[in-house]
């Protein structure tokens, strides 16, 4: 079988039909097609509905549901199972049984969209159904995607405001769901932005994107859940899957159209992930705080060749060789003493002075308060360091006037970095690197090109860059800067001109690197737990 004809990942959607073609399995199919996965539509209920109302719901018999699952199990085993409208408690029990059965064979993710009521007002779940969700599906769920009313109903609590949603999300995780995204498309805006609350093993926070003004939003919840399921099937971890689901749903809303006298359906199509305006912002914590809108604090000129050095002497050496952007990265020991602190201050003072004399921009890695005190141009921080600062610390950093660079390795980290409006975001590792141990897979040139097209701010390529050819390739992807560490060698004055020529050749290439329709996963997805 050739790569062009390789089997697509399989997603089972166990949900209801919609005779009006808007929601349920109709919307699921469109979302699956947008991601290029194969959807197996398993009918749990038949609904009689149009764009105005649901007039009848007819659950299929448990035997009919069992027969569909049995027919698929050997021929089309799923990577992901997604549930939508289920016809009753027996259906929930049957789904739980099949998830356990499938997981005895191989890892299978479960995405639960708890469809408890229609947007037209029709109720689909009673108290016994809610209890079945809590007892049987939450403990098996890889991801659940309730809206705010559904999250409250699952917990048996009143609907919460923004301040109470993080607690509800954590409680849903405590009850067994590995990841939670409480969607907010049907709730009030924050400064014109729609907020979804994400709580996952990888990251917590608010995903924000501009509200799309449309009357035609039928099937948006189904689209979100199936998009997340499709992303999981492609190998993305839940936090990245939720970012892609938000993008796909925004795209689908933009393509909603009238069909009948009421609210028309949304329409997800391929290409959604190449639209930079759909990439959301992710907050840094429980508070939905984002940088003020507007242009990022961009440097005066391109970052170009971005040298990373570990001492003042090395900084002076690469500046003398012609580097005009550099980062001073001095690692903090496990127990820094007064002598080390004094040596750090001296190294920063010496490097800042050398950069100022050369007309270069010096970013200091990590030590932002000392960098601000001594007058450095900027600071580079990893995301764990920024998280540790808290809201107050990040506000002080922004007020310091330092140009800020932020590392990013995944979609959720890119979305989170954007919330600080940095002067650049680093994409890495582009190639395998031995500079430091990390769990991330290489981004490759495809993801680098995607980052450069989607970030909305300058992107610096970092990781495993050892040759001029790699510098040229990174520049062809649109990188504003290309990091040079080991490639500079012992004689930067000899190597640097070659690298600069390669950078310019990449920027002037007649055919820039293509931007992929979807990035590839940069972190290995965790294996679903075995059945209890």
């Amino acid at each position: 079988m050739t790569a062009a004809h390789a089997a697509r990942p399989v997603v089972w959607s166990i949900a209801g039909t919609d005779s009006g073609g808007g929601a349920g399995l109709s919307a699921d199919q469109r979302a699956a097609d947008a991601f290029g996965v194969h959807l197996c539509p398993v009918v749990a209920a038949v609904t009689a509905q149009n764009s105005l109302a649901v007039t009848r719901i007819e659950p299929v018999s448990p035997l009919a549901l069992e027969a569909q699952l049995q027919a698929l199990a050997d021929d089309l085993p799923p990577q992901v199972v997604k549930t939508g409208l289920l016809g009753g408690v027996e259906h929930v029990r049957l789904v739980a049984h099949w998830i356990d059965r499938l997981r005895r064979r191989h890892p299978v993710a479960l995405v639960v969209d708890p469809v408890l009521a229609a947007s037209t007002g029709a109720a689909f779940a009673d108290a016994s159904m809610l209890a079945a969700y809590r007892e049987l599906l939450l403990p098996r769920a890889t991801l659940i995607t309730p809206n705010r009313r559904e999250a409250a109903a699952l917990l048996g609590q009143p609907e919460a405001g923004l301040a109470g949603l993080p607690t509800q999300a954590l409680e849903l995780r405590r009850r067994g769901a590995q990841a939670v995204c409480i969607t907010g498309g049907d709730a009030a805006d924050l400064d014109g932005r729609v907020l979804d609350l994400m709580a996952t093993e990888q990251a917590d926070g608010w995903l924000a994107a501009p509200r799309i003004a449309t009357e035609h939003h039928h099937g948006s919840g189904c689209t979100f859940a199936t998009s997340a399921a499709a992303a999981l099937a492609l190998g993305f971890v839940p936090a990245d899957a939720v970012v892609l689901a938000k993008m796909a749903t925004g795209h689908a809303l933009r393509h909603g159209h009238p069909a009948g006298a009421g609210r028309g359906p949304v329409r997800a199509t391929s290409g959604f992930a190449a639209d930079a305006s759909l990439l959301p912002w992710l907050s840094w914590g429980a508070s939905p705080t984002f940088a003020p809108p507007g242009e990022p604090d961009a440097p005066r000129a391109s970052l170009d060749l971005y040298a990373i050095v570990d001492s003042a002497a090395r900084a002076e050496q690469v500046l003398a060789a012609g580097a005009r952007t550099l980062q001073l990265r001095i690692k903090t020991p496990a127990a820094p003493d007064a002598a080390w602190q004094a040596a750090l201050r001296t190294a920063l003072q010496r490097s800042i002075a050398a950069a100022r004399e050369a007309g270069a921009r010096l970013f200091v890695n990590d030590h932002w308060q000392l960098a601000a005190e001594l007058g450095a141009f900027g600071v580079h921080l990893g995301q764990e360091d920024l998280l540790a600062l808290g809201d107050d610390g990040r506000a002080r950093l922004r007020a310091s006037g330092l140009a800020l660079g932020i590392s990013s390795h995944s979609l959720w980290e890119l979305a989170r970095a954007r919330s600080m409006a940095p002067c650049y975001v680093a994409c890495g590792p582009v190639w395998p690197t031995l500079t430091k141990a990390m769990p991330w897979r290489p981004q490759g040139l495809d993801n680098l090109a995607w980052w450069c097209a989607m970030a909305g701010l300058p992107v610096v390529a970092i990781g495993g860059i050892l040759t001029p050819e790699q510098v040229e390739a990174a520049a062809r992807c649109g990188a504003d800067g290309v990091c040079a560490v080991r490639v500079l060698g012992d004689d930067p004055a000899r190597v640097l001109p070659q690298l600069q020529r390669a950078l310019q050749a990449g920027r002037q290439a007649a055919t820039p690197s293509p931007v992929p329709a979807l990035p590839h996963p940069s972190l290995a997805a965790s294996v679903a737990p075995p059945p209890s």
Side-chain angles (χ1 to χ4, degrees), residues 202-246:
Q202 299 84 33
D204 298 340
W206 296 91
L207 276 174
R211 179 170 290 278
I212 296 167
T214 177
E215 296 178 356
H216 306 302
H217 49 73
H218 191 41
S220 55
C222 306
T223 298
F224 188 97
T226 305
S227 294
L232 290 173
L234 291 169
F236 290 94
V237 295
D240 279 347
V242 168
V243 171
L244 288 170
K246 191 166 181 70

Side-chain angles (χ1 to χ4, degrees), residues 12-227:
W12 291 1
S13 178
I14 307 173
T17 65
D18 176 354
S19 53
L25 291 169
S26 297
D28 295 346
Q29 186 66 66
R30 293 191 291 268
D33 289 344
F35 278 82
V37 304
H38 180 78
L39 187 85
C40 294
V42 179
V43 179
V46 176
T47 72
Q49 63 176 294
N50 54 32
S51 65
L52 297 172
V54 178
T55 59
R56 186 177 178 85
I57 303 169
E58 193 73 36
V60 306
S61 71
L63 287 176
L65 180 55
E66 171 88 19
Q68 293 175 81
L69 300 176
Q70 184 66 61
L72 293 174
D74 293 329
D75 185 44
L76 290 159
Q79 279 76 37
V80 181
V81 175
K82 174 258 177 187
T83 66
L85 171 60
L86 299 176
V89 173
E90 286 302 315
H91 284 185
V92 174
R93 290 197 184 105
L94 195 58
V95 169
H97 165 75
W98 268 94
I99 292 299
D100 291 349
R101 182 173 174 178
L102 291 166
R103 284 176 175 172
R104 292 188 187 101
R105 303 182 185 182
H106 59 84
V108 175
L110 172 64
V111 175
V112 176
D113 180 16
V115 180
L116 308 181
S119 59
T120 56
F124 296 153
D126 57 14
S128 62
M129 190 69 164
L130 287 169
Y133 268 100
R134 295 183 195 117
E135 295 167 11
L136 297 172
L137 293 190
L138 284 184
R140 291 170 170 81
T142 308
L143 170 67
I144 64 170
T145 62
N147 61 32
R148 295 179 190 180
R149 290 190 303 275
E150 291 164 344
L154 287 171
L155 293 169
Q157 298 176 359
E159 187 174 343
L162 288 181
L165 284 175
T167 300
Q168 288 192 337
L170 291 176
E171 177 62 17
L172 288 167
R173 288 198 69 196
R174 190 187 70 78
R175 295 193 184 199
Q178 293 180 43
V180 176
C181 185
I182 302 177
T183 61
D186 56 349
D189 297 326
L190 177 74
D191 299 328
R193 293 170 172 174
V194 176
L195 294 178
D196 301 328
L197 181 66
M198 178 173 82
T200 73
E201 179 185 352
Q202 299 84 33
D204 298 340
W206 296 91
L207 276 174
R211 179 170 290 278
I212 296 167
T214 177
E215 296 178 356
H216 306 302
H217 49 73
H218 191 41
S220 55
C222 306
T223 298
F224 188 97
T226 305
S227 294

Side-chain angles (χ1 to χ4, degrees), residues 215-314:
E215 296 178 356
H216 306 302
H217 49 73
H218 191 41
S220 55
C222 306
T223 298
F224 188 97
T226 305
S227 294
L232 290 173
L234 291 169
F236 290 94
V237 295
D240 279 347
V242 168
V243 171
L244 288 170
K246 191 166 181 70
M247 295 177 69
T249 305
H251 178 86
L253 284 162
R254 286 184 181 173
H255 292 83
H257 60 89
R263 294 167 179 166
V266 300
R267 183 166 297 277
T269 61
S270 60
F272 70 89
D275 185 341
S277 68
L278 293 171
L279 185 66
W281 299 268
L282 175 62
S283 73
W284 289 82
S287 174
T289 303
F290 306 93
E295 293 297 320
D297 304 325
R300 293 180 298 274
S302 294
L303 294 164
D304 295 332
L305 206 65
Y306 187 127
I308 298 180
V309 300
D310 59 3
S311 69
R314 182 66 164 173

Side-chain angles (χ1 to χ4, degrees), residues 195-422:
L195 294 178
D196 301 328
L197 181 66
M198 178 173 82
T200 73
E201 179 185 352
Q202 299 84 33
D204 298 340
W206 296 91
L207 276 174
R211 179 170 290 278
I212 296 167
T214 177
E215 296 178 356
H216 306 302
H217 49 73
H218 191 41
S220 55
C222 306
T223 298
F224 188 97
T226 305
S227 294
L232 290 173
L234 291 169
F236 290 94
V237 295
D240 279 347
V242 168
V243 171
L244 288 170
K246 191 166 181 70
M247 295 177 69
T249 305
H251 178 86
L253 284 162
R254 286 184 181 173
H255 292 83
H257 60 89
R263 294 167 179 166
V266 300
R267 183 166 297 277
T269 61
S270 60
F272 70 89
D275 185 341
S277 68
L278 293 171
L279 185 66
W281 299 268
L282 175 62
S283 73
W284 289 82
S287 174
T289 303
F290 306 93
E295 293 297 320
D297 304 325
R300 293 180 298 274
S302 294
L303 294 164
D304 295 332
L305 206 65
Y306 187 127
I308 298 180
V309 300
D310 59 3
S311 69
R314 182 66 164 173
E316 291 166 345
Q317 184 186 31
V318 300
L319 286 167
R324 289 300 173 260
T325 305
L326 68 158
Q327 180 189 132
L328 179 63
R329 181 192 288 171
I330 298 178
K331 296 181 180 179
T332 303
D337 55 17
W340 181 85
Q341 297 284 359
L344 174 67
R345 175 179 285 271
T346 298
L348 263 65
Q349 288 174 325
R350 182 173 158 188
S351 300
I352 290 167
R356 188 175 294 125
E357 182 178 350
R361 293 160 292 186
L362 175 71
F363 290 86
V364 175
N365 185 267
D366 288 347
H367 312 288
W368 75 268
Q369 290 171 307
L370 185 57
E373 176 192 335
L374 298 177
F377 174 81
V379 64
H380 180 94
L381 290 173
Q383 300 224 359
E384 290 185 1
D385 298 314
L386 279 163
L387 281 168
L389 288 179
D391 287 339
D392 290 342
R394 288 187 292 272
R396 291 195 300 273
L397 172 60
R398 282 193 57 80
S400 71
L402 288 166
L404 174 63
I406 302 178
S407 299
S408 73
H409 310 86
S410 61
L411 306 188
W412 89 80
E413 285 199 342
L414 176 58
R416 194 162 58 186
R418 284 159 44 87
S419 295
M420 287 287 287

